[in-house]
């Protein structure tokens, strides 16, 4: 069984083919970075047009690479939201047309579920597990009970973790996207030089806040000598910021572990997913946290943490196995919380 996955919810056009034997037969990601860079962020209209320009060719290329014909597909899965609605409409409409023309099932995948289930593509992880989902738009702690079954323990009350990385990168003149740039700048920096706040640290619960930290970085940067940042100052400030984010993630996740353990005493997996999970320093902090609680950290390889279509194909496969297919009347969703009981954030 092989499923085609299509991802167009942000600034990456992606197509992938994944089998139920967890074999990624093709996974192509076309970044639109160069088109958005002059604006310092993703421009929705440009993103939607770029998806439209490239998706057809990219899907063809993925099918060729995998040596699969459209008629052989078990299903066609596309990100149905949440995300920039113009791009989501492009991917969903394209997938529906292929499904209709080739008489294949269509599956609308929640982008966040794509991130959430990636660990089951890369590792032997059974339900339930505790998930720290850290991306550009989301920062949440969730109990993953099963496919389509999520209980949210905490979320950000202001910025997402990736958003904080992106904004700090902008302030420090490191460009866009910010996460990898801040991580690279922090190498060799002194994480203790700048005394930055750790919002909500030590407080009960599993919610996050990053807005105060972002402001503190701006004030610290403004207090440095005017002109271009000295390399040492830049490295120290990036390292201090990254350490503060690490402290916050570890503190909030520790509270979530306690809550998770109370519900599921036998469960052992802490999973991290989403673009920020590509950060090696943060992965190391979370691995240490997991070990301290006799848990195992599962972190997909960085290329499967940032946006890709293999995760959409895999989530499609998981849904297909349960008979969870969608009709062609499915309407793309700009907002789509994983836990319906929780407010979208
Ligand atoms: O999951 P993702 O690719 O897209 C969304 O669904 O949002 O996450 C993108 C976010 C961006 O904010 C980016 O700066 C951040 O993930 N990111 C990182 C790293 N790589 C990507 N943040 C910290 N360190 C990284 N190495
Ligand atoms: Zn994502």
């Amino acid at each position: 069984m092989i499923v085609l996955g299509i991802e167009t919810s942000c600034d990456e056009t992606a197509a992938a083919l994944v089998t139920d034997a967890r074999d990624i037969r093709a996974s192509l990601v076309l970044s639109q970075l160069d088109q958005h860079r002059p604006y310092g962020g993703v421009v929705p209209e440009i993103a939607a047009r770029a998806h439209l320009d490239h998706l057809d060719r990219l899907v063809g290329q993925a099918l060729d690479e995998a040596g699969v014909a459209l008629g052989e597909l078990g299903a066609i899965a596309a990100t149905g939201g949440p995300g920039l609605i113009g791009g989501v409409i492009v991917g969903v409409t394209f997938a529906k047309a292929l499904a209709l023309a080739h008489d294949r099932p269509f599956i609308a995948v929640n982008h966040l579920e794509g991130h959430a289930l990636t660990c089951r593509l890369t590792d032997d992880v059974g339900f339930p597990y505790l998930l720290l989902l850290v991306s550009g738009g989301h920062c949440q702690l969730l109990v993953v009970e099963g496919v389509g079954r999520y209980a949210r323990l905490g979320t950000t009350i202001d910025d997402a973790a990736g958003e904080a990385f992106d904004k700090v990168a902008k302030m420090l003149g490191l460009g866009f996207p910010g996460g990898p740039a801040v991580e690279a700048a922090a190498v060799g920096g002194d994480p203790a030089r700048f005394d930055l706040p750790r919002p909500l640290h030590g407080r009960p619960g599993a919610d996050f806040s990053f807005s105060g930290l972002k402001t503190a970085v701006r004030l610290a940067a403004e207090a440095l000598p005017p002109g271009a940042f000295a390399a040492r100052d830049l490295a120290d400030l990036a390292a201090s910021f990254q350490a503060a984010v690490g402290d916050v993630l570890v503190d909030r996740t520790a509270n979530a572990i306690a809550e998770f353990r109370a519900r599921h005493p036998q469960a052992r997996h802490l999973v991290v997913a989403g673009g920020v999970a590509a950060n090696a320093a943060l992965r190391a902090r979370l691995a240490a946290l997991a070990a301290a609680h006799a848990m195992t950290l599962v972190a997909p390889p960085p290329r499967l943490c940032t946006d890709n279509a293999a995760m959409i194909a895999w989530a499609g496969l998981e849904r297909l196995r349960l008979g969870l297919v969608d009709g062609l009347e499915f309407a793309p969703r700009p907002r789509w919380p994983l836990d319906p009981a929780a407010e979208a954030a």
Side-chain angles (χ1 to χ4, degrees):
M1 173 94 79
I2 188 158
V3 165
L4 169 65
I6 290 172
E7 159 60 37
T8 57
S9 67
C10 193
D11 60 340
E12 252 103 34
T13 314
L17 287 142
V18 175
T19 74
D20 57 352
R22 306 199 304 198
D23 187 14
I24 302 176
R25 296 271 291 275
S27 180
L28 303 177
V29 181
L30 191 73
S31 168
Q32 304 171 1
L33 269 186
D34 292 342
Q35 288 157 77
H36 298 289
R37 192 173 278 117
Y39 306 95
V42 179
V43 184
E45 175 71 19
I46 293 176
R49 285 170 187 270
H51 291 306
L52 201 53
D53 285 344
H54 299 293
L55 187 55
D56 187 26
R57 185 183 54 76
L58 204 69
V59 167
Q61 205 178 321
L63 290 164
D64 285 352
E65 237 178 63
V68 178
L70 283 164
E72 294 170 335
L73 296 173
I76 297 166
T79 299
L84 301 174
I85 197 64
V88 177
I89 289 172
V90 170
V92 163
T93 307
F94 187 83
K96 283 180 182 175
L98 287 183
L100 184 64
H102 297 270
D103 195 22
R104 303 284 80 207
F106 162 72
I107 300 173
V109 170
N110 183 319
H111 178 88
L112 304 174
E113 178 158 76
H115 282 302
L117 299 178
T118 302
C119 58
R120 289 166 50 82
L121 166 61
T122 58
D123 295 84
D124 291 316
V125 180
F127 299 118
Y129 51 90
L130 178 63
L131 172 70
L132 171 63
L133 176 54
V134 272
S135 69
H138 295 82
C139 188
Q140 307 188 339
L141 279 153
L142 297 143
V143 180
V144 184
E145 311 268 5
V147 175
R149 291 170 51 215
Y150 302 88
R152 198 170 82 184
L153 301 181
T155 188
T156 182
I157 57 175
D158 41 55
D159 295 348
E163 196 178 349
F165 269 92
D166 293 334
K167 287 178 178 170
V168 162
K170 213 167 178 174
M171 287 171 205
L172 300 183
L174 294 171
F176 168 83
V182 171
E183 182 176 14
V187 173
D190 174 6
R193 166 148 167 225
F194 293 93
D195 185 19
L196 300 173
R198 270 86 174 139
L200 297 182
H201 193 283
R203 304 263 288 275
D207 284 338
F208 300 88
S209 164
F210 292 103
S211 150
L213 172 58
K214 173 190 69 186
T215 306
V217 171
R218 182 169 56 73
L219 295 176
E222 284 169 5
L224 290 169
F229 293 113
R232 164 95 351 239
D233 292 342
L234 194 62
D236 291 348
L237 194 47
S240 298
F241 164 73
Q242 195 168 264
V245 173
D247 283 349
V248 169
L249 293 182
V250 163
D251 177 74
R252 314 317 294 163
T253 306
N255 287 354
I257 287 175
E259 170 87 37
F260 176 61
R261 276 291 178 69
R263 295 187 194 188
H264 301 288
Q266 307 303 327
R268 285 289 171 271
H269 285 123
L270 170 64
V271 175
V272 63
V276 181
N279 185 294
L282 296 178
R283 290 160 79 101
R285 297 286 311 271
L286 293 166
L289 172 73
H293 289 84
M295 293 183 82
T296 303
L297 178 74
V298 177
R303 67 172 195 292
L304 294 177
C305 287
T306 50
D307 285 350
N308 65 88
M311 70 181 193
I312 303 304
W314 176 255
L317 261 164
E318 294 242 37
R319 297 190 83 80
L320 184 64
R321 286 201 287 231
L322 299 173
L324 299 171
V325 300
D326 292 276
L328 295 184
E329 72 286 353
F330 171 85
R333 299 185 59 173
R335 292 172 80 80
W336 190 355
L338 276 179
D339 178 353
E343 278 274 291

